[in-house]
Amino acid sequence: AIETIEENLMTVFDTNFNQKHKEKLDRIFLELKETLKSEGLFDSKYKKELPLFPRRVGVITSETGAVIHDIINVSRNRFGKAEIILFPAKVQGDLAVQELMDGIDYFNQKNDVDAIILGRGGGAYEELAPFNDEKLARKIFDSKIPIISAVGHETDVTISDFVADKRASTPSMAAEILFPNIGTIYENLEQKRSELQNQYRTRFHELDVLLREYKEQLMRYTPGWKLQRERAKNYQYFQELNYIFSENYP
């Protein structure tokens, strides 16, 4: 019975401790969010445009997780020709923030990728803490290369999501946002080609009809046309005179 009471007390203690810890983390999160927002780091005017057809994309994430494999699979299925360059970094723990920042510095110094995906899979609130770090947020903001933040699952929201140029609900979604569906592009181009062809045919027909009308109008002002018209009139008068004479002088 004594052991049961002790276990219950420990459970209550752990629950209270975890709740207070969660409240502390929430408060820090909201305070940092408000600070960065007031400084303009979330403003849309600073968001860089993503490339339409990325050829080289940097990915900053764990080399052992599923994130890099998901991004590669999506890129191959949708676009096929992009080169994915991994900068391996820890995505949780004390060393994560520095390694994530090192990845951003690496790609900015090399300056040979069109965009960067910064991401990790889902995890507990504390495991996502590196992506709520102020230093990392400012590093993302200072990047000259557009960054997509793809942290956790759809319901997870981090400071990185707010400051990045684009937020994706999952790493796979980040790849879908970044890489266009080449099959759909070809279908749209074929549809546009057919529409333009039909438009040109219709317009050419309209111009042909208009040209014929102009030609007929111009013919009415030529000497030959006037002479032909006078001959037709004279012939009609001659026919009428013949009819009159034949009736009166049989």
Side-chain angles (χ1 to χ4, degrees), residues 32 36 41 131-142 159-160 163:
L32 178 59
L36 298 179
L41 270 68
F131 297 90
N132 290 321
D133 185 87
E134 181 177 359
K135 291 183 293 183
L136 177 61
R138 295 187 184 278
K139 182 68 69 173
I140 293 172
F141 181 80
D142 291 336
I159 295 295
S160 297
V163 74

Side-chain angles (χ1 to χ4, degrees), residues 21-222:
H21 184 60
K22 177 68 164 54
E23 291 174 356
K24 180 182 178 181
L25 292 177
D26 287 341
R27 185 174 66 255
I28 294 173
F29 175 89
L30 294 175
E31 289 175 354
L32 178 59
K33 178 183 174 184
E34 189 59 33
T35 298
L36 298 179
K37 181 179 179 181
S38 65
E39 294 181 19
L41 270 68
F42 302 164
D43 288 357
S44 58
K45 65 181 179 181
Y46 296 121
K47 304 295 184 185
K48 294 175 284 296
E49 294 290 334
L50 298 177
L52 292 177
F53 301 101
R55 292 297 181 183
R56 289 169 60 87
V57 173
V59 178
I60 305 173
T61 190
S62 170
E63 62 183 336
T64 59
V67 170
I68 184 63
H69 300 290
D70 292 342
I71 291 174
I72 291 173
N73 289 335
V74 172
S75 69
R76 286 176 177 172
N77 292 334
R78 291 176 62 86
F79 198 59
K81 297 182 179 180
E83 182 180 358
I84 308 297
I85 303 171
L86 171 67
F87 184 94
K90 292 182 175 60
V91 292
Q92 64 187 57
D94 297 335
L95 301 178
V97 172
Q98 186 59 53
E99 292 190 7
L100 293 170
M101 292 194 300
D102 289 344
I104 296 174
D105 285 337
Y106 172 81
F107 287 120
N108 275 267
Q109 290 168 6
K110 295 281 288 185
N111 195 28
D112 61 352
V113 296
D114 302 312
I116 299 170
I117 297 177
L118 180 72
R120 62 155 290 157
Y125 190 87
E126 293 80 1
E127 293 175 338
L128 304 181
F131 297 90
N132 290 321
D133 185 87
E134 181 177 359
K135 291 183 293 183
L136 177 61
R138 295 187 184 278
K139 182 68 69 173
I140 293 172
F141 181 80
D142 291 336
S143 174
K144 304 302 180 184
I145 302 172
I147 294 179
I148 300 180
S149 175
V151 181
H153 299 303
E154 188 170 354
T155 55
D156 297 320
V157 180
T158 65
I159 295 295
S160 297
D161 295 331
F162 291 109
V163 74
D165 299 292
K166 189 74 175 180
R167 187 241 174 186
S169 57
T170 64
S172 295
M173 183 56 66
E176 290 190 18
I177 292 172
L178 190 56
F179 298 108
N181 190 323
I182 199 69
T184 302
I185 291 175
Y186 284 143
E187 291 176 2
N188 292 338
L189 286 175
E190 177 61 26
Q191 182 179 354
K192 290 296 182 182
R193 186 196 66 79
S194 179
E195 291 175 357
L196 286 173
Q197 190 176 45
N198 292 333
Q199 291 175 5
Y200 279 126
R201 286 176 178 172
T202 301
R203 186 57 179 162
F204 283 148
H205 176 72
E206 293 173 348
L207 291 174
D208 183 63
V209 172
L210 189 62
L211 182 62
R212 291 176 184 273
E213 292 177 354
Y214 285 154
K215 185 177 180 180
E216 291 178 1
Q217 292 177 8
L218 288 173
M219 288 291 294
R220 295 175 185 175
Y221 295 98
T222 61

